[in-house]
Amino acid sequence: MLLPTTQLTIGPHKVWVEIAATEASRSYGLMNRASLPPNHGMLFVFDTDQDSCFWMKNTPLPLTIAFINAQGDILNMADMQPHTTDTHCPAAPVRYALEMAQGWFATHGIRPRTTVYGLPGAQ
């Protein structure tokens, strides 16, 4: 499934993300992907603030997810293990969720309360 892409800025870092903004693309996510290029991820975009939880069924990549509010602030993050049905939920309703290779946020010094710029429709 080919998805639109955009560039985001997180702290001093630029990342390229595929945008999953439909129910079908959000449900499929990064399933069955064998790899991600460096500094690439998937941005899940919701029409309204959501408290949607994520899992890794059929996803072979270890990922870290950042839950982001409508203003672009990261609320919380979670490491997610491949092929699990463990749920990972936001600390409060969010407009976005960003999945990157596991450890990307930690390696780049990104923590909760960091602002993400370039989000589609951010306030």
Side-chain angles (χ1 to χ4, degrees):
M1 179 182 322
L2 296 176
L3 297 175
T5 61
T6 193
Q7 186 179 57
L8 302 177
T9 302
I10 309 172
H13 309 286
K14 304 277 188 214
V15 297
W16 284 99
V17 297
E18 294 179 56
I19 301 171
T22 66
E23 184 63 36
S25 63
R26 287 189 300 260
S27 293
Y28 197 79
L30 290 171
M31 276 193 230
N32 303 311
R33 298 276 182 104
S35 64
L36 278 175
N39 300 312
H40 279 69
M42 181 167 283
L43 180 68
F44 296 82
V45 179
F46 301 100
D47 295 330
T48 60
D49 292 349
Q50 303 282 314
D51 58 1
S52 296
C53 297
F54 287 70
W55 62 352
M56 296 285 286
K57 184 176 181 181
N58 300 321
T59 306
L61 302 171
L63 301 171
T64 301
I65 188 166
F67 295 101
I68 306 166
N69 67 16
Q71 292 73 40
D73 300 321
I74 295 174
L75 298 183
N76 64 301
M77 295 181 276
D79 286 340
M80 303 188 297
Q81 300 310 312
H83 298 291
T84 62
T85 56
D86 300 338
T87 56
H88 306 279
C89 305
V94 294
R95 188 68 51 96
Y96 309 95
L98 175 59
E99 292 180 344
M100 299 290 289
Q102 193 169 95
W104 186 92
F105 295 101
T107 299
H108 292 86
I110 306 303
R111 297 175 174 19
R113 294 186 295 284
T114 301
T115 301
V116 179
Y117 296 96
L119 294 163
Q123 300 174 352

